[in-house]
Each structure stands twice: as structure tokens, then as C-alpha cells.
């Protein structure tokens, strides 16, 4: 509270600001508008980016195939907006859109660090009111222990403990407004006159700069709104809207009104405002409920962080980490051991190093305001490009929310020296990792496209008398679709062989949440005996494990169907079809091997200093990240990696 001597009118003005922030941003922007901007059931800033890319028919910048954006025929046939054409033609515009989306993701991941820290720390801080002798270091240690325990439980999955979440949040949303109503009746029954917006004007006209600075704390009233949007992949739109509009929103309105009524009666007792206005008779039950609710709130952001990292990994914007699906029925419920322990270390470090709740609150305010602003920008583009909303309504939406959120951002940015730099530091590190990985992957794709092997070159390599066609099936993994990876030529020249049945397999990630099962596996045939192509398509919310069986069995079934269908249209030679099917069956009986490239950059003397730094950083990440083959469920004895140096 920057105000030196707050008065009754000041508190009424602050409550009016909080009420209208909750109503406009929470109810109108998120519950009524943002939740409708889902990408086939997925929510969050990355889903908005995916939605825009598909409808503007622009490809993911990490992909080089013209149709890699995953645009459906119906979407591709619709008349494109003028703004969509600008994005399609301008590389700069697409990169700006990508940068904004990545910044939103990085900030939300930073939210996954700060939310557990500030939620648990604020709840445990309540123990100091009845026991003033308890030191801050003790509170920090207890908070750290609770967080460590919470992160250790993540490997069991949210479903194992989610049956406790509803009762906990039910108690929270029921008890806090009841305490608020009690406080209103006891201290200041007329508090709801602050719903009139003129108290906001009075507040700023009286306090000026100090009033503007106080917005850095007021913004915290809307925390969790972005998680509400991001959780769209876990819950239905109607369930989120009902839960927010009929439980969370009225609960917050009455709770903040009760706190305001207490502060008007005790104007200088604004430290630890939540616990101060709780009656002593119910203090400890409320302390327990608040602590449990803080844990549930932390869990929601941790789960959202896992989902964001998974989306980044499958679209090749983040180094491959282990992603485990902890639920058989809920595709979006994932867990990453590496990310989990990194988050745990960061959360505990934030508490122990920046134990002052004000510093963490300042950092939290920066995250909340920045993510809200980015969501507004992306939603405006959705309204213009996809929904074709009336220009008047677009202007009202954009002007209202950009103005509100820009004012909030300006107020929290002055807190950068007082803890506000924490999310920027986290986001910078994450953005550097994502850019380094993206840059290295792009350079590899460029090299592979330049040195790719076409069908004529493959025919020449196989015509060498010294190259043998050995029995069995080989899944040869390649990153490009228009041609074959140069690793193939390196393999044939050194191994002097190729399997009788070779399936060049490409994992293709589309900017869609899920790919239909009948579109998952696409088979093609090369003009060479026993040589086939296979594209396995995934959306960013899909599991890499194929449903209903393992990878080999499903591909072979699709291949058998393709051989019959393909040969039947080109020839009536049933003998040839049967021979091809027999060769495939014999190869299956011999065995299967999965071959992937283990490529590295050779950084020569002619490389620029920028390439030296970025490619060396990429190689460090690439050497320590996981292979994509284990994610497909390929058994270790069947895996083989072929090393090759790419000239940078």
C-alpha cells in the first residue's frame, strides 16, 4: 500500500478498481470471450497462436513444408482477411507474432514458478499472527517443505489427488465470502456503494501518482485468470464458465468487500489484510483452508506448465524432455520429471532468496499484467481474422482492455528493481533456450534440404554392386519430406547395405491440438522395390504413442492396405501384389530395426561469432536432450543411431 495515510474514500476507490477489474477482465474478457477462442478444445496463448496460424494459412516457422500448418480443406477454402494476407506475405509480421506468443508462454511458465511460491508463502505467513515470535525464516522453511512435498507428488499424476481439489475449493469459495459478509455487517455495511465507478475517479484525482503506483498490488486480484483460460484443455468451456461466474467471482467480490470494510474501520492495519479480518473464533480453520487452497492453486499452474512445455517440445521449440501421460482417460494430463525438478528448485530458491512477500508479489504482478496484455493482442487478431467481428466491437474490446492492461503494466514495471525483474530473468533464460534450440534446428533443416537425397540419387547408390539389400524391415527416420536426409547417403556408403523393406519415416507435428486417427499415418511408395515413405502426424495435444497397438503393427497394417490399394489402381497383376505382400511378411519375420541420425555441427573457422555461440549452445542442449525414438515406444535393442557431421 503506497498510500501513506489511506482514508475511507481511498479504500472505497481501491475496492471499486478491484471490482471492475474482476468484472471486465475476469467476466467479460476471459469467461465470455477468451473461452470461445479455443483451438479444438485447447486454450492459452499458444492455442491462440496455433488458431491464427491455421486460419491465416501461414506455416509454423520451424517447418519448411508448405502444408505443415495443418490447415484443413474447409479452412483453406474460406476467403482470407486483409490482415491475414499481410501476415502470410510478411516474414517480419509472422516472426513478431511468434515472438509475442513465445513471450506469453515464457511468462506463463514463470507464473508456474511464482504462483506456488507466493500462494504457499502467503498462506503460511498467517501463522505469525497468533505466534508473533515465529520468524520469517521459519515461515520460509515451512513453505519450502510444503512445496517440495507437492512437487514430489507430481509423478503420481493430478488424477490421483484431484478428488480432494473440489472439496477444498468448495470450502474456500464458501467460507471466505461468509467471513466477508460477517466483516461487512460488523464493520461497514455500506461498502457496496463503491461499485459506482465515480469512486475510481475520486481515488486517482486525489492520490495521483501514489494511486497509480498502488495498481501494482491491485492487479493481484485477477491472478489465475490466464490459468482459467489455459485449463480449457482439461475442462469444458461451460464447466469453467459456471464455476467462475457462480462460485469464484461472487466469492472474490464478497471477500474483497469484507477486507475493505475491515480496513475502513482499521485504516492503518493493512499489513496481512486477509488474516487480519478473520474472526479469532474461526482463525485456525480458515488458516488450514487457505493453506490447502494455496496448494491447489499451485497445482493448477504446475500442471499448466507441464502442458506448455509439452506443446513446445512437440513443435520443436524446446529441447526434448521426457513427457509422461499420467492419465489414460485425460490426454492433457502430463508430467515431465526434468521440468518438475527444475520448477521445484526455482520455487524453493525464490522463497529462500526473495522471502519478502512484497518482492515476490511485485514479480507476480509483472507476470499477470504482461500475460493479460499479450492475450488481449492475440484475441484482437482472432476477432479480426477469424471471427470477422464488427470493427466497432473490435475497437471497443481493443481500446478497453489494452488501455486497462497497459496502465497496469506501466504501474508494475516500476517495481522491476524491487523483485519485478525475476519473471523477466526467467523469461529471458527460457526464451534464450527456445531461440537457441530453434536456431540450431533451423540450420540443420537448411543443411538437410540443401544436401537432401532424391530418388535418382538413391537409385544410383543402390545400383552399386557392393551395396547389398539385407533381410528385414528398417524404419529410417528423416526430418524432411521433400527428399531424404543426407544421413541416408552416409549410412549406405559406410554400411554398404540397405534393408529389403525400408520405410522412410517422418514425424510431422501440426499446429492443431489433435489429428484424427484416420489421418495419423500416411503411406507413399517410392519408385524402387521395397522402398516406402511414411508420415506420422501429431497435434501438440496428442500423445506420441499410437492408440490401439504399437508403432510397427499399425504402420504395417496401413502399408498392407496401401500395397493392395496402390497396386490395384496401377496394375491388374495380382501376382505382383501378392509378391510384395509376401516380401513384407518375410521381412517382418526377420525383424525390425529403427535407424535415426545423430547429427552434429562441425563449426569451422569460417563461421561467424554468432554462429559459434548459438550452435555451440545448441550442441550442448542437443547432446543432453532425449531422443525422439523412446517417445515412440521403440525398444532399445531395435534402435540404432548413425552419426554424421554437418558443416555449419
Amino acid at each position: 500500500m503506497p498510500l501513506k495515510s489511506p482514508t475511507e474514500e481511498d479504500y472505497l476507490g481501491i475496492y471499486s478498481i478491484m471490482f471492475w477489474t474482476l468484472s471486465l477482465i475476469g467476466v467479460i474478457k476471459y469467461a465470455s470471450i477468451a473461452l470461445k477462442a479455443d483451438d479444438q478444445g485447447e486454450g492459452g496463448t499458444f492455442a491462440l497462436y496455433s488458431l491464427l496460424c491455421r486460419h491465416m494459412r501461414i506455416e509454423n516457422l520451424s517447418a519448411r513444408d508448405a502444408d505443415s500448418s495443418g490447415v484443413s480443406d474447409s479452412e483453406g477454402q474460406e476467403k482470407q482477411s486483409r490482415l491475414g494476407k499481410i501476415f502470410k506475405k510478411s516474414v517480419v509480421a509472422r516472426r513478431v507474432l511468434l515472438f509475442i506468443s513465445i513471450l506469453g508462454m515464457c511468462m506463463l511458465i514463470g507464473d508456474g514458478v511464482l504462483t506456488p511460491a507466493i500462494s504457499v508463502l502467503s498462506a503460511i505467513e498467517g501463522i505469525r499472527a497468533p505466534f508473533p515470535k515465529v520468524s520469517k525464516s521459519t515461515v520460509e522453511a515451512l513453505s519450502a517443505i510444503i512445496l517440495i512435498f507437492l512437487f514430489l507428488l507430481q509423478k503420481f499424476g493430478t488424477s490421483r489427488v484431484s478428488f480432494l481439489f473440489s472439496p477444498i475449493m468448495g470450502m474456500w469459495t464458501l467460507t471466505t465470502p461468509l467471513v466477508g459478509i460477517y466483516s461487512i455487517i460488523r464493520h461497514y455495511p455500506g461498502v457496496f456503494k463503491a461499485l459506482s465507478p465515480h469512486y475510481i475517479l475520486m481515488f486517482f484525482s486525489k492520490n495521483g501518482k501514489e494511486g497509480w503506483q498502488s495498481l501494482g498490488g491491485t492487479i493481484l486480484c485477477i491472478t489465475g485468470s490466464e490459468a482459467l483460460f489455459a485449463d480449457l484443455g482439461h475442462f469444458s468451456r461451460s464447466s469453467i464458465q459456471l464455476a467462475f461466474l457462480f462460485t469464484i467471482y461472487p466469492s472474490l467480490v464478497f471477500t474483497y468487500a469484507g477486507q475493505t470494510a475491515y480496513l475502513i474501520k482499521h485504516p492503518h492495519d493493512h499489513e496481512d489484510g486477509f488474516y487480519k479480518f478473520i474472526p479469532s473464533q474461526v482463525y485456525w480453520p480458515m488458516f488450514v483452508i487457505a493453506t490447502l487452497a494455496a496448494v491447489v492453486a499451485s497445482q493448477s499452474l504446475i500442471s499448466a506448465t507441464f502442458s506448455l512445455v509439452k506443446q513446445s517440445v512437440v513443435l520443436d521449440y524446446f529441447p526434448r524432455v521426457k513427457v509422461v501421460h499420467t492419465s489414460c482417460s485425460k490426454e492433457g494430463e502430463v508430467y515431465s520429471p526434468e521440468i518438475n525438478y527444475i520448477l521445484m528448485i526455482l520455487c524453493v530458491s525464490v522463497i529462500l532468496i526473495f522471502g519478502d512477500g512484497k518482492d515476490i508479489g511485485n514479480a507476480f504482478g509483472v507476470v499477470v499484467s504482461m500475460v493479460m496484455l499479450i492475450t488481449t493482442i492475440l484475441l484482437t487478431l482472432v476477432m479480426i481474422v477469424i471471427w470477422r467481428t464488427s470493427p466497432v466491437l473490435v475497437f471497443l474490446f481493443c481500446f478497453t482492455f489494452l488501455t486497462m492492461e497497459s496502465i497496469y503494466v506501466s504501474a508494475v514495471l516500476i517495481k522491476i528493481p524491487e523483485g519485478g525483474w525475476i519473471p523477466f530473468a526467467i523469461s529471458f533464460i527460457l526464451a534464450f533456450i527456445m531461440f537457441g534450440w530453434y536456431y540450431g534446428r533451423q540450420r540443420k533443416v537448411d543443411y538437410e534440404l540443401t544436401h537432401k537425397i532424391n530418388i535418382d540419387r538413391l537409385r544410383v547408390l543402390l545400383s552399386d554392386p557392393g551395396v547389398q539389400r539385407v533381410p528385414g524391415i528398417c524404419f529410417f527416420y528423416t526430418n524432411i519430406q521433400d527428399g531424404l536426409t543426407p544421413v541416408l547417403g552416409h549410412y549406405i556408403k559406410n554400411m554398404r547395405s540397405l534393408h529389403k523393406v525400408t520405410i522412410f519415416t517422418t514425424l510431422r507435428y501440426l499446429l492443431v491440438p489433435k489429428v484424427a486417427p484416420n489421418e495419423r499415418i500416411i503411406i507413399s511408395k517410392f519408385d524402387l522395390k521395397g522402398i516406402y515413405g511414411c508420415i506420422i502426424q501429431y497435434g501438440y495435444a496428442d500423445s506420441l504413442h499410437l492408440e490401439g497397438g504399437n508403432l510397427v503393427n499399425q504402420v504395417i497394417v496401413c502399408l498392407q492396405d496401401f500395397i493392395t490399394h496402390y497396386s490395384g489402381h496401377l496394375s491388374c497383376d495380382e501376382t505382383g501384389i501378392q509378391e510384395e505382400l509376401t516380401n513384407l511378411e518375410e521381412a517382418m519375420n526377420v525383424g525390425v530395426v529403427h535407424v535415426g541420425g545423430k547429427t552434429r555441427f562441425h563449426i569451422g573457422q569460417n563461421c561467424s561469432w554468432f554462429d559459434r555461440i548459438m550452435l555451440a549452445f545448441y550442441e550442448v542442449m542437443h547432446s543432453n536432450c532425449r531422443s525422439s525414438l523412446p517417445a515412440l515406444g521403440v525398444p532399445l535393442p531395435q534402435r540404432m543411431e548413425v552419426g554424421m557431421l554437418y558443416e555449419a
Side-chain angles (χ1 to χ4, degrees):
M1 173 68 70
L3 304 181
K4 296 177 181 178
S5 300
T7 62
E8 175 183 330
E9 288 74 18
D10 292 332
Y11 283 120
L12 291 174
I14 292 172
Y15 178 66
S16 186
I17 294 171
M18 296 170 71
F19 172 80
W20 287 106
T21 299
L22 279 170
S23 300
L24 292 175
I25 296 180
V27 176
I28 296 179
K29 176 185 169 181
Y30 281 100
S32 302
I33 299 176
L35 288 179
K36 294 181 180 179
D38 66 298
D39 186 18
Q40 299 182 24
E42 296 290 326
T45 54
F46 196 83
L48 291 176
Y49 172 67
S50 167
L51 193 64
L52 287 166
C53 284
R54 288 194 298 112
H55 282 266
M56 292 190 293
R57 284 171 275 171
I58 59 176
E59 70 273 8
N60 173 9
L61 291 180
S62 67
R64 294 305 181 91
D65 300 289
D67 60 348
S68 64
S69 57
V71 181
S72 65
D73 293 338
S74 61
E75 290 167 344
Q77 292 173 357
E78 67 181 22
K79 187 177 179 181
Q80 199 170 22
S81 67
R82 185 180 302 175
L83 185 60
K85 293 177 181 178
I86 294 175
F87 275 94
K88 189 172 179 63
K89 293 179 181 179
S90 173
V91 175
V92 174
R94 297 202 300 272
R95 286 179 175 169
V96 169
L97 179 63
L98 175 62
F99 170 77
I100 291 174
S101 303
I102 287 180
L103 180 61
M105 286 201 309
C106 292
M107 282 287 177
L108 199 54
I109 293 173
D111 197 1
V113 174
L114 295 173
T115 294
I118 193 172
S119 299
V120 175
L121 184 64
S122 299
I124 300 299
E125 188 76 26
I127 204 172
R128 298 187 64 200
F131 301 107
K133 292 184 179 180
V134 176
S135 63
K136 281 192 174 184
S137 58
T138 303
V139 171
E140 295 167 11
L142 287 173
S143 303
I145 291 171
I146 292 174
L147 282 177
I148 291 173
F149 181 71
L150 175 62
F151 280 105
L152 292 178
L153 290 177
Q154 295 302 311
K155 63 181 178 181
F156 298 107
T158 306
S159 294
R160 302 288 180 88
V161 292
S162 60
F163 68 94
L164 294 173
F165 292 174
S166 295
I168 291 172
M169 296 312 296
M171 288 189 294
W172 172 256
T173 55
L174 177 64
T175 55
T176 51
L178 288 178
V179 173
I181 293 171
Y182 170 81
S183 179
I184 293 169
I185 296 172
R186 181 180 179 184
H187 299 299
Y188 195 84
V191 68
F192 285 111
K193 66 183 181 181
L195 301 188
S196 172
H198 89 276
Y199 282 98
I200 299 176
L201 300 177
M202 291 173 55
F203 175 77
F204 285 115
S205 62
K206 175 188 174 184
N207 296 289
K209 183 179 179 180
E210 288 184 347
W212 167 68
Q213 290 175 337
S214 68
L215 293 176
T218 309
I219 186 64
L220 299 182
C221 73
I222 199 65
T223 56
S225 55
E226 188 63 34
L228 175 143
F229 181 33
D231 282 339
L232 194 56
H234 299 267
F235 306 97
S236 66
R237 179 193 305 163
S238 58
S239 64
I240 294 176
Q241 289 175 329
L242 288 173
F244 180 78
L245 295 175
F246 294 102
T247 59
I248 303 298
Y249 175 69
S251 174
L252 292 175
V253 169
F254 282 108
T255 300
Y256 290 138
Q259 288 180 276
T260 303
Y262 174 85
L263 291 172
I264 290 175
K265 190 71 174 290
H266 309 85
H268 301 290
D269 195 13
H270 49 72
E271 295 293 333
D272 303 322
F274 175 76
Y275 283 109
K276 288 291 180 63
F277 93 110
I278 295 176
S280 58
Q281 296 87 343
V282 295
Y283 187 90
W284 287 113
M286 288 301 300
F287 173 80
V288 173
I289 293 173
T291 303
L292 293 175
V295 172
V296 174
S298 302
Q299 175 64 50
S300 66
L301 264 297
I302 294 170
S303 299
T305 302
F306 291 153
S307 298
L308 284 173
V309 170
K310 181 206 169 184
Q311 293 173 11
S312 303
V313 168
V314 298
L315 284 168
D316 226 357
Y317 287 111
F318 200 82
R320 286 185 295 271
V321 294
K322 184 177 182 180
V323 176
V324 180
H325 287 258
T326 56
S327 172
C328 298
S329 58
K330 297 179 181 178
E331 185 63 48
E333 191 175 306
V334 294
Y335 162 72
S336 173
E338 295 98 332
I339 300 302
N340 182 61
Y341 293 118
I342 291 173
L343 284 178
M344 182 180 73
I345 293 171
L346 290 175
C347 283
V348 173
S349 299
V350 166
I351 286 179
L352 297 181
I353 298 174
F354 309 97
D356 189 350
K358 292 182 179 179
D359 287 345
I360 303 177
N362 291 335
F364 200 27
V366 171
V367 167
V368 172
S369 58
M370 289 294 292
V371 173
M372 287 195 310
L373 188 62
I374 289 170
T375 301
T376 295
I377 294 172
L378 295 177
L379 278 175
T380 302
L381 292 176
V382 168
M383 295 174 74
I384 297 172
V385 175
I386 301 174
W387 294 347
R388 310 294 175 89
T389 307
S390 165
V392 175
L393 295 178
V394 172
F395 173 78
L396 288 175
F397 173 85
C398 185
F399 176 78
T400 301
F401 293 106
L402 280 183
T403 301
M404 284 182 61
E405 292 160 2
S406 296
I407 293 173
Y408 271 123
V409 169
S410 67
V412 297
L413 287 182
I414 63 172
K415 302 292 185 179
I416 287 180
E418 303 171 15
W421 60 271
I422 299 174
F424 283 102
I426 296 173
S427 298
F428 175 80
I429 294 171
L430 288 170
F432 185 70
I433 291 173
M434 295 177 77
F435 178 77
W437 181 262
Y438 167 79
Y439 184 79
R441 298 297 292 175
Q442 286 292 85
R443 290 294 300 270
K444 281 195 173 180
V445 170
D446 290 339
Y447 182 91
E448 289 175 348
L449 290 174
T450 304
H451 298 83
K452 65 185 179 183
I453 294 177
N454 55 31
I455 190 66
D456 294 329
R457 175 61 178 161
L458 179 58
R459 184 179 287 108
V460 171
L461 290 171
L462 295 179
S463 65
D464 187 337
V467 176
Q468 303 295 320
R469 298 295 296 273
V470 298
I473 294 180
C474 173
F475 284 78
F476 208 109
Y477 292 87
T478 176
N479 292 325
I480 56 177
Q481 298 173 39
D482 183 18
L484 300 173
T485 172
V487 176
L488 173 63
H490 184 67
Y491 174 82
I492 294 177
K493 287 180 180 179
N494 288 275
M495 300 298 292
R496 310 298 295 171
S497 65
L498 191 67
H499 286 74
K500 287 186 177 180
V501 176
T502 301
I503 304 172
F504 293 105
T505 306
T506 302
L507 303 180
R508 183 181 178 195
Y509 300 107
L510 306 182
L511 278 174
V512 295
K514 295 179 182 295
V515 175
N518 62 327
E519 299 176 357
R520 178 65 54 83
I521 300 174
I522 301 175
I523 302 292
S524 60
K525 192 179 191 307
F526 289 75
D527 191 20
L528 287 170
K529 184 177 180 180
I531 306 295
Y532 306 94
C534 174
I535 298 174
I536 302 177
Q537 301 189 126
Y538 291 93
Y540 59 77
D542 276 322
S543 169
L544 283 176
H545 292 281
L546 297 184
E547 298 85 353
N550 61 43
L551 170 70
V552 174
N553 289 342
Q554 290 204 33
V555 173
I556 293 302
V557 169
C558 292
L559 183 55
Q560 289 172 336
D561 292 340
F562 175 81
I563 290 172
T564 304
H565 176 77
Y566 176 85
S567 302
H569 279 282
L570 295 184
S571 170
C572 296
D573 186 5
E574 294 293 335
T575 305
I577 297 175
Q578 190 59 45
E579 181 183 354
E580 199 167 354
L581 292 173
T582 301
N583 291 337
L584 179 60
E585 185 176 352
E586 290 176 351
M588 273 290 294
N589 293 332
V590 172
V592 178
V593 64
H594 298 259
V595 179
K598 186 69 173 179
T599 57
R600 297 191 62 183
F601 281 110
H602 173 67
I603 304 175
Q605 297 296 324
N606 296 328
C607 290
S608 65
W609 64 268
F610 181 79
D611 277 348
R612 288 177 179 274
I613 294 174
M614 296 307 301
L615 295 181
F617 179 57
Y618 168 78
E619 287 299 340
V620 170
M621 292 189 292
H622 187 255
S623 299
N624 291 279
C625 77
R626 294 176 179 268
S627 169
S628 61
L629 295 186
L632 289 169
V634 176
L636 183 62
Q638 296 181 6
R639 299 204 308 256
M640 184 171 70
E641 291 183 334
V642 179
M644 183 177 178
L645 289 176
Y646 286 179
E647 185 177 356

